[in-house]
Amino acid sequence: MFAARALRLRPFVRQCPPRLIHTTDVTPTDYTVRIMAASNSGRFADCLHLAARMKSDGLVPDASIYNALMSLAARDRSWLFAWAIFDDMLLAGIQPTSATFTHLIQAQRDRPFNNLWNAIERMDQLGFKPNAPIYTSIINCLLAAARAVVILAAECGHSRLAIEIATYFEDISLRRLDDSAWVACLTSAAQNLYVDGVTKCWPIIVDDLSVIPSEGVCLAVLNTAARHGLPDLATDVLRVLKIAGIDWQEYHFAALIEAFCRNDQMKEALVTLHIMRTNGINPTGNTTAFILDSIKSDVDSLDSAWALIDDIHTSDGGLDVGALKVVIQASIFLGDLQRAVGIYKSFHDYGLAPDLATFNLLLEGCIGAQHRQLGDLLLNDMKQARVKPDEETYEKMINLCLTQDTYEDAFYYLEEMKATGHVPPQEVYEALLQKCLSAEDTRSSLVLQEMEECGYRLQDTRHKTAATAIHVNRERRERK
């Protein structure tokens, strides 16, 4: 079947340390001791060289030496060497033992089933009956095959098939698949948002096998929990991340909040904002995006959210300024600027102070309502609260001024914006240009000039032509 030439390969002689090659007389016991020592150290190449040297000296290795070689071949998954050693053993007239077949079968664990059946057939031909170690090797081969099939199905994206195979194997076998097979199933299921697979694999890996998945797998599970409204699963993922020594991030809590919202647990979603801040993580617009989507659908949803905020404050459950801001944002979306202002004025009642993002949200509402006077009041409140305006604040004030017939202050805020070190974005210049063109304001040419100085390219070249025409017409009128 397999040639015994593996024991006579010359490369092993060259690869061995010089101390193993000598010409002095060596007894069989010396060879046995040296081979066993090399075997115990896991030096497979040294063992093969010593065995070949022993044969060249006219000495026949005994069963213990052959079994030691077979053991190393099995350990290294060197299935071809295992067969070569076995064939050489038979050619040397050494009777195999149960340990020989145990190692031979174990060496075939990563090979096709034909190799396993060939080993069993040879064992039957030589009249050996399987014992406990042999049965264990056979099971290990089958276990390795099952593991390979499960991982292959998972990596090919067939999450459900992989999990069904793994479950079936463990149902009919006394042995369990190793961690890697179940982790592959969980990874595949999470990446495919297969919620049934995730909810089955997660407790097996975390609770039964006590394995901590990687951060990437945890994030995929978090996304699945968020998409399907499973806050308990999302919470457990956060727990595992903490155990793994991975610092919580904003996007971890964003997924938890989405899970709460999809599971109609708005109060818990709002409280999570406070938990984030107590852990040194500031909620952002991305964090509250799903809360906003849930409460901006109609006035009743907004009223319910406002009632929950009162309930959280009354029960001292942990109210964060982000909860008030998202309600303000929903009010503005629904066109209820009066409610938004009322929430803003109630900040102090809740023991909270409006931040820069709050003022920018309210200014956005003023733009929609074209309420310039309220915008001025908000700017005054910012100064009293010592909240420094940012680029977004100036941009919104410019846009608010442009909603009025008299828009001189838009240029004032433009200059103030530049004086504070901010570079006005192209959208600001385009809004100013559009307003000047509609009012036939000659300053449109100045706006175009500044745009070019900033390196902005005008999308509609007709605006440049119109600005030039306005400037020429104005000069003509002045000459007359």
Side-chain angles (χ1 to χ4, degrees):
M1 182 185 304
F2 298 98
R5 64 182 181 277
L7 291 181
R8 295 187 289 273
L9 292 176
R10 300 304 301 168
F12 283 111
V13 177
R14 301 190 196 98
Q15 296 169 3
C16 293
R19 62 182 175 82
L20 295 178
I21 303 176
H22 50 83
T23 58
T24 58
D25 293 334
V26 182
T27 66
T29 303
D30 292 333
Y31 275 115
T32 302
V33 170
R34 293 182 183 183
I35 290 175
M36 290 303 176
S39 174
N40 293 334
S41 300
R43 303 196 309 270
F44 191 23
D46 290 355
C47 288
L48 290 175
H49 166 76
L50 286 168
R53 184 71 180 178
M54 185 177 185
K55 293 179 64 178
S56 67
D57 288 346
L59 302 175
V60 179
D62 59 13
S64 63
I65 292 178
Y66 277 111
N67 284 336
L69 296 174
M70 292 287 287
S71 174
L72 286 176
R75 188 205 64 178
D76 291 348
R77 290 177 164 83
S78 299
W79 65 277
L80 186 57
F81 272 117
W83 278 113
I85 295 167
F86 178 77
D87 288 345
D88 191 81
M89 185 179 188
L90 295 180
L91 290 174
I94 304 299
Q95 182 69 14
T97 65
S98 297
T100 307
F101 285 104
T102 299
H103 299 319
L104 178 63
I105 292 173
Q106 189 69 15
Q108 316 304 313
R109 59 189 179 276
D110 290 338
R111 301 299 300 168
F113 279 133
N114 287 341
N115 288 46
L116 172 62
W117 305 140
N118 286 334
I120 295 175
E121 183 179 358
R122 293 300 299 274
M123 183 176 65
D124 185 61
Q125 290 173 355
L126 294 173
F128 278 88
K129 299 295 183 183
N131 57 12
I134 292 176
Y135 277 123
T136 300
S137 294
I138 294 173
I139 292 173
N140 286 337
C141 284
L142 298 175
L143 185 63
R147 170 185 172 276
V149 171
V150 169
I151 292 178
L152 177 62
E155 291 179 347
C156 290
H158 303 297
S159 312
R160 182 173 180 177
L161 176 63
I163 295 171
E164 287 179 350
I165 294 173
T167 303
Y168 176 76
F169 179 83
E170 292 198 347
D171 286 344
I172 64 173
S173 173
L174 296 177
R175 300 290 295 272
R176 297 202 62 173
L177 293 170
D178 62 10
D179 305 347
S180 59
W182 283 109
V183 170
C185 290
L186 175 64
T187 303
S188 178
Q191 290 174 346
N192 293 322
L193 299 177
Y194 175 39
V195 63
D196 291 339
V198 171
T199 54
K200 178 177 181 60
C201 295
W202 179 262
I204 291 176
I205 293 172
V206 175
D207 299 331
D208 298 347
L209 300 177
S210 300
V211 173
I212 302 297
S214 66
E215 184 179 7
V217 175
C218 288
L219 286 178
V221 174
L222 259 181
N223 290 335
T224 304
R227 182 71 63 88
H228 294 276
L230 300 174
D232 291 341
L233 176 59
T235 302
D236 198 51
V237 173
L238 290 181
R239 177 187 66 84
V240 171
L241 286 172
K242 180 65 73 174
I243 294 174
I246 299 172
D247 294 335
W248 286 336
Q249 303 295 332
E250 177 275 333
Y251 48 83
H252 295 148
F253 286 96
L256 174 60
I257 288 174
E258 180 180 348
F260 276 129
C261 292
R262 289 186 182 274
N263 200 44
D264 296 327
Q265 293 179 265
M266 182 58 63
K267 181 177 180 180
E268 288 77 5
L270 294 171
V271 172
T272 302
L273 299 175
H274 174 72
I275 296 174
M276 289 180 63
R277 203 175 295 275
T278 56
N279 282 276
I281 304 171
N282 294 327
T284 65
N286 291 332
T287 314
T288 58
F290 213 86
I291 298 177
L292 175 63
D293 290 341
S294 301
I295 66 177
K296 72 179 185 180
S297 56
D298 52 56
V299 176
D300 291 337
S301 299
L302 184 59
D303 289 338
S304 299
W306 185 244
L308 290 174
I309 288 177
D310 282 334
D311 185 30
I312 294 171
H313 175 67
T314 303
S315 61
D316 197 21
L319 183 62
D320 186 79
V321 65
L324 295 180
K325 285 193 295 187
V326 73
V327 176
I328 289 176
Q329 194 173 1
S331 301
I332 293 172
F333 178 84
L334 293 173
D336 193 348
L337 182 59
Q338 184 177 356
R339 182 197 288 261
V341 174
I343 298 171
Y344 159 68
K345 291 181 178 180
S346 68
F347 267 60
H348 295 292
D349 297 335
Y350 293 105
L352 300 170
D355 56 9
L356 178 60
T358 305
F359 287 109
N360 286 338
L361 284 173
L362 291 168
L363 287 175
E364 183 68 31
C366 293
I367 295 172
Q370 300 183 5
H371 201 321
R372 168 65 193 281
Q373 184 180 3
L374 177 59
D376 291 337
L377 292 174
L378 289 171
L379 269 186
N380 186 56
D381 288 351
M382 287 182 67
K383 292 178 181 179
Q384 292 182 358
R386 296 183 179 180
V387 177
K388 186 178 179 180
D390 63 354
E391 179 180 324
E392 183 181 355
T393 308
Y394 287 113
E395 183 178 349
K396 292 185 183 302
M397 283 305 301
I398 292 171
N399 287 325
L400 178 57
C401 293
L402 293 177
T403 63
Q404 309 298 304
D405 293 333
T406 303
Y407 56 91
E408 297 296 325
D409 286 345
F411 290 94
Y412 165 77
Y413 287 115
L414 177 67
E415 294 303 320
E416 188 173 341
M417 182 181 189
K418 293 188 290 184
T420 54
H422 299 294
V423 177
Q426 183 171 348
E427 292 77 14
V428 169
Y429 283 114
E430 290 179 347
L432 282 166
L433 178 60
Q434 189 68 37
K435 185 68 174 182
C436 291
L437 290 175
S438 64
E440 296 188 355
D441 190 336
T442 56
R443 287 176 293 186
S444 58
S445 58
L446 297 176
V447 174
L448 280 172
Q449 182 180 347
E450 281 200 25
M451 287 184 68
E452 293 175 355
E453 291 174 354
C454 291
Y456 300 138
R457 295 184 60 183
L458 191 62
Q459 300 296 327
D460 192 344
T461 56
R462 292 177 298 177
H463 289 164
K464 187 173 184 178
T465 304
T468 303
I470 291 171
H471 184 71
V472 171
N473 291 337
R474 178 63 61 88
E475 287 182 346
R476 287 176 180 175
R477 286 196 295 269
E478 288 176 353
R479 292 194 191 108
K480 293 179 180 180

